[in-house]
């Protein structure tokens, strides 16, 4: 399973990249705003800075919600760097735009997916990725991970090449469940990724190894 980091924070992106296991980055307008990145030029420069850090797919989201606007914005974003993936919302004009981008060879990530039907439509339009929001479904007492299973089954039934990008991942159990199901990608915060490092028995075991090594060195 590919690991993407879901943030616009350059220090966190750098930290995840330095771990050596990062495959890509997803951003959204809320994440950009959280970092105080406002204004067209600053947003564009921020995408360029992310592309300098990570050599992998970088999702950059359009703001326009009409067909012509999505095409204009998406083409400009795609021209920034070969690794840019145009993130398009799951709306009627978004699906039409994904079909157009696919024909132009522009990679897309269909975002704000909350049902298998939406994922199926995006796959039929040729989306490179679909982003079902696992955590936000859990937030409203609906099983987000179950949606990943449903989409996996449907895509496998028909051999769709669209990759399932489990989004809105909040914690390590989301990551593990998505990996069990066979999600192609997961995107989550740095905290969820680094939480996979930890186990108390690892800490206890390492402390004992080091203590035994010290003891043996003293008696040698
Ligand atoms: C998807 O790509 C979104 O950026 C993201 O995963 C949303 O996550 P959130 O529900 O934690 O805001």
């Amino acid at each position: 399973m590919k690991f993407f980091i879901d943030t616009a924070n350059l220090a966190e992106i750098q930290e995840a990249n330095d771990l050596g296991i990062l495959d890509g980055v997803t951003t959204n307008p809320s994440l950009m705003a959280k970092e105080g990145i406002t204004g067209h030029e600053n947003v564009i420069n921020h995408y360029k800075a992310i592309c300098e850090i990570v050599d992998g797919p970088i999702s950059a989201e359009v703001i326009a919600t009409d067909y012509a606007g999505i095409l204009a914005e998406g083409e400009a974003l795609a021209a920034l760097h070969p690794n840019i993936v145009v993130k398009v919302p799951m709306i009627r004009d978004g699906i039409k735009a994904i079909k157009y981008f696919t024909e132009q060879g522009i990679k897309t990530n269909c975002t704000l997916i909350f049902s298998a039907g939406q994922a199926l439509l995006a796959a039929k339009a040729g989306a490179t990725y679909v982003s079902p929001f696992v955590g936000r479904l859990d937030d409203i007492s609906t099983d987000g991970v179950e949606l990943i299973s449903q989409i996996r089954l449907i895509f496998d039934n028909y051999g769709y090449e669209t990759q399932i990008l489990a989004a809105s991942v909040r914690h390590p159990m989301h990551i593990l469940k998505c990996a069990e199901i066979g999600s192609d990608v997961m995107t989550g915060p740095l905290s969820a990724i680094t939480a996979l490092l930890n186990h108390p028995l690892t800490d206890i075991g390492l402390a004992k190894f080091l203590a035994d090594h010290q003891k043996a060195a003293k008696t040698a």
Side-chain angles (χ1 to χ4, degrees):
M1 184 168 71
K2 289 175 214 155
F3 275 38
F4 290 1
I5 188 167
D6 194 31
T7 184
N9 182 290
L10 296 182
E12 290 188 4
I13 291 170
Q14 184 69 62
E15 190 179 333
N17 197 55
D18 288 348
L19 258 181
I21 50 79
L22 192 67
D23 300 294
V25 181
T26 53
T27 61
N28 64 40
S30 304
L31 293 170
M32 294 294 259
K34 190 174 163 201
E35 298 307 317
I37 314 298
T38 55
H40 181 69
E41 210 178 315
N42 290 335
V43 169
I44 294 300
N45 287 337
H46 205 73
Y47 285 136
K48 287 182 183 165
I50 295 172
C51 291
E52 294 275 302
I53 300 173
V54 179
D55 184 18
I58 314 294
S59 286
E61 189 160 339
V62 298
I63 304 297
T65 55
D66 65 292
Y67 183 62
I70 295 172
L71 294 200
E73 223 183 304
E75 281 179 332
L77 288 169
L80 290 178
H81 193 281
N83 284 344
I84 290 284
V85 174
V86 179
K87 206 171 176 190
V88 180
M90 164 39 76
I91 51 176
R92 186 181 295 254
D93 279 7
I95 286 297
K96 284 169 62 182
I98 287 169
K99 177 79 181 167
Y100 170 84
F101 288 138
T102 305
E103 285 164 358
Q104 301 304 309
I106 294 174
K107 293 201 166 74
T108 55
N109 173 357
C110 188
T111 189
L112 292 167
I113 298 270
F114 292 96
S115 76
Q118 291 177 323
L120 180 55
L121 272 184
K124 284 187 70 66
T128 316
Y129 304 95
V130 285
S131 284
F133 279 33
V134 174
R136 290 194 197 182
L137 282 168
D138 286 0
D139 289 345
I140 57 157
S141 310
T142 303
D143 190 344
V145 164
E146 177 55 31
L147 176 59
I148 303 295
S149 299
Q150 235 185 322
I151 299 172
R152 180 74 285 156
L153 177 69
I154 292 169
F155 283 11
D156 289 351
N157 279 347
Y158 297 100
Y160 285 119
E161 284 177 14
T162 298
Q163 295 183 48
I164 304 173
L165 195 173
S168 187
V169 155
R170 302 270 171 79
H171 49 70
M173 283 311 292
H174 274 156
I175 300 179
L176 292 180
K177 288 290 168 198
C178 288
E180 280 176 18
I181 291 162
S183 187
D184 300 287
V185 192
M186 80 82 207
T187 191
L190 181 63
S191 58
I193 296 171
T194 55
L196 293 174
L197 286 166
N198 305 327
H199 197 287
L201 290 179
T202 304
D203 300 338
I204 292 166
L206 182 60
K208 181 155 171 39
F209 285 157
L210 295 179
D212 288 346
H213 173 77
Q214 294 283 6
K215 242 187 277 167
K218 270 183 202 152
T219 54

